[in-house]
Structures are given as C-alpha cells and as structure tokens.
Amino acid sequence: MPESPTGDFVATPAPGAEDYPSLDFVNSAMALPGGHFADLLGTPAGANRWLTGHGLAPADAGIREICAAQLRSLREHLRVLFAARADGLPALPAALAAVNDALSRAPTAALLYWDEKNGPYRAAPCPTNEILDRALAVLAADAADLLTGPDAERLTPCGSSPCNRYLLRHGRRHWCSTRCGDRARAARAYARRTRPSAG
C-alpha cells in the first residue's frame, strides 16, 4: 500500500476524478487486497486533509468527528446513486433526499454587504461554521452534474476485485488504476492455468 509521509494511504485518482471531484470523493473509501480497507475520511484530520487537498476547506478548518461523519454519510449516499446509475437501476429515495439536502446547504447568491469605508459590495458568505455545508453542497452539485451529464454513460465500477472504486470508462478500460488492471489480468491468467482440462 503506498503511503504518504504522514502515513496516510495514497491512491492514484481513478480516470475521470480530475474532472469530477465527487468521483474522487466517492472513491475515498477503498477496499484493498488481503481484506484491507482505507478510508481517507476515517478521521477528522484525514477529512480535513482531503477537503484541503481539493480546495474545499482551509488547512486549519478544524474538522471535527461530527463533520467527518457527515462527509462519510454523503459519500455513502453518492455511492448508492453511482451504483444505481452504473447498473441502470432506480435510485433509492433516501440517497436522493440526502444529496438534495446537501445541495440546498450553500447559498447560491452573493449577499449584499456594506463597508463603512468603501460602501456596498457583494460576497458569498462562508464563515468557518459553514465550510462543511459549502463542501457538501459543492460535492453534491458535482455528483449531480456527473449523474445527469453526458459522462454518466461512462460511469462504471472498477472491474478488479476487491476494488470498490468508480471510474469513467475510456474505451475498453474497466480498471481504476494500472495496479487493478494488472491484478485482474493476473487473476485471469491464473484461472486459465488452473482450469481443469477436458480430456
């Protein structure tokens, strides 16, 4: 497992994650070979690092466990919606409600303020206690754009067990990383070698 200097698991972003932060967000909980599991949002510090790395919170945001739990909850609802979209199944109403709730958390209009020296100006409010709401709204909006846009047809789960990440398929590639592709090819080769011969 590759690790960062801080000891955190580091994963190569899946194809499409550079265009859709919500795809990287959904993939922040990873099933790994050997029954291992990595959760980049598993601790408040990890959640703060993930948000900071994606430009959604300052490094000193001070994310607490209740905030990290809200992020993990939205992630699970988005995973349900991604799975439904990839499998061509109806979405669960609870997952839709959770995403719509997150979408409604951030103000969409810049508010009017008045500075005694410079007069009126407009700015989007984002005090420290609203950082998480804004991050949830941004991730939910990005996921909604992915699920309703032209790239939704390319959304697919990684084809290498036990990986549980999603990617945007390019051509015939169905793996989220070179490592998963190598593992899938090795498993197929092993299955061919160990298959009983007819005769």
Side-chain angles (χ1 to χ4, degrees):
M1 265 185 287
E3 291 189 359
S4 73
T6 60
D8 298 320
F9 178 81
V10 177
T12 304
E18 61 281 355
D19 298 321
Y20 294 98
S22 60
L23 187 58
D24 208 34
F25 178 62
V26 163
N27 289 338
S28 64
M30 296 158 277
L32 305 169
H36 297 283
F37 186 78
D39 186 350
L40 302 181
L41 309 176
T43 65
N48 206 137
R49 276 191 298 277
W50 192 94
L51 290 171
T52 300
H54 289 80
L56 295 171
D60 61 353
I63 298 294
R64 294 201 162 92
E65 177 54 32
I66 191 166
C67 300
Q70 288 177 349
L71 285 165
R72 292 190 298 267
S73 176
L74 178 63
R75 178 182 64 195
E76 292 314 306
H77 287 298
L78 289 177
R79 286 189 67 78
V80 166
L81 294 177
F82 279 28
R85 181 65 174 96
D87 295 338
L89 299 172
L92 291 176
L96 286 174
V99 170
N100 285 330
D101 177 62
L103 283 168
S104 67
R105 287 179 177 234
T108 57
L111 301 180
L112 179 64
Y113 293 93
W114 205 281
D115 180 65
E116 289 184 20
K117 182 178 178 186
N118 299 316
Y121 67 97
R122 292 186 73 186
C126 193
T128 304
N129 63 346
E130 291 181 4
I131 289 172
L132 181 68
D133 284 346
R134 180 183 166 278
L136 291 169
V138 167
L139 291 166
D142 185 73
D145 289 344
L146 171 57
L147 290 168
T148 60
D151 288 329
E153 294 297 322
R154 297 173 36 222
L155 183 65
T156 187
C158 181
S160 178
S161 182
C163 187
N164 64 340
R165 297 193 332 154
Y166 285 86
L167 64 134
L168 295 184
R169 186 177 50 249
H170 292 283
R172 293 178 49 197
R173 181 177 175 175
H174 289 268
W175 304 296
C176 71
S177 66
T178 304
R179 176 174 289 168
C180 278
D182 291 346
R183 192 168 51 242
R185 284 188 285 274
R188 280 199 307 267
Y190 178 77
R192 281 193 299 273
R193 284 193 311 271
T194 59
R195 187 180 303 138
S197 60

